[in-house]
Amino acid sequence: MEPRFNLFGTETGSRIAKRFAGLGQAVHQTSLPTTTAELVSLRASQLNGCGFCLDMHVKEAIAAGEDPLRLHLVAGWRETTVFTEAEQAALAFTEEGTVLTRDGVSDETWAAVRKHFDDEQVAALVCLLGLINAANRMAVITRQKGGSYQVGALAAADV
């Protein structure tokens, strides 16, 4: 399938993309660990089938020093030993907050997130999950392809 529309080639799409980039930068300026943020973005993008965002977040995570082995194991994180309890809580939160049910995130998962993250980090985590899911949806709807993202491109956006 070819991309069906250049969303960011429009004035509206470009303005919104710049604001999205700014919101993403705001999340990365919090005390939420960069590794956790990239794992959350990667897992949500896997669940949503967003090749563009998978490409971006794998490359950004590696550039930030993440071990590629851990990135390869994100999809099966429950069956591994390479993620901390805090990362596991964030990944469970990501799955439940991406594939929503009527009840949203379970009380058990919420308690695990609250155990490992302070108020500012929880705020960042909630906002990040909302942003990545919105970005995934825009990219999937317009059939954006992964593979050409250059590290730092989002941070360099004119916001």
Side-chain angles (χ1 to χ4, degrees):
M1 290 187 298
E2 292 299 313
R4 60 171 42 140
F5 183 72
N6 181 1
L7 181 63
F8 306 117
T10 68
E11 185 178 332
T12 298
S14 180
R15 278 198 319 263
I16 291 170
K18 289 176 184 179
R19 284 166 177 80
F20 252 80
L23 291 169
Q25 287 176 6
V27 169
H28 284 289
Q29 292 168 352
T30 69
S31 61
L32 183 68
T34 300
T35 298
T36 301
E38 293 300 341
L39 292 174
V40 164
S41 295
L42 181 60
R43 186 64 185 130
S45 298
Q46 288 173 336
L47 293 168
N48 289 321
C50 183
F52 181 83
C53 293
L54 284 167
D55 180 33
M56 177 190 323
H57 293 291
V58 164
K59 289 174 180 174
E60 290 290 351
I62 291 170
E66 180 57 77
D67 180 351
L69 172 65
R70 286 170 30 100
L71 298 177
H72 288 293
L73 294 174
V74 168
W77 64 269
R78 284 182 178 84
E79 308 304 324
T80 71
T81 59
V82 299
F83 299 103
T84 67
E85 284 186 19
E87 291 167 339
Q88 291 174 28
L91 289 166
F93 173 79
T94 300
E95 290 180 355
E96 292 178 26
T98 296
V99 184
L100 287 174
T101 66
R102 182 176 178 181
D103 296 328
V105 174
S106 69
D107 291 340
E108 177 184 20
T109 296
W110 185 256
V113 165
R114 295 300 293 163
K115 175 182 175 185
H116 295 287
F117 299 99
D118 66 26
D119 287 352
E120 293 301 319
Q121 292 169 325
V122 170
L125 195 56
V126 169
C127 292
L128 172 62
L129 191 55
L131 288 169
I132 190 60
N133 275 288
N136 289 166
R137 282 155 177 74
M138 286 187 283
V140 169
I141 288 166
T142 60
R143 295 185 180 156
Q144 301 306 300
K145 301 295 179 197
S148 62
Y149 179 79
Q150 299 296 312
V151 172
L154 188 61
D158 182 22
V159 292

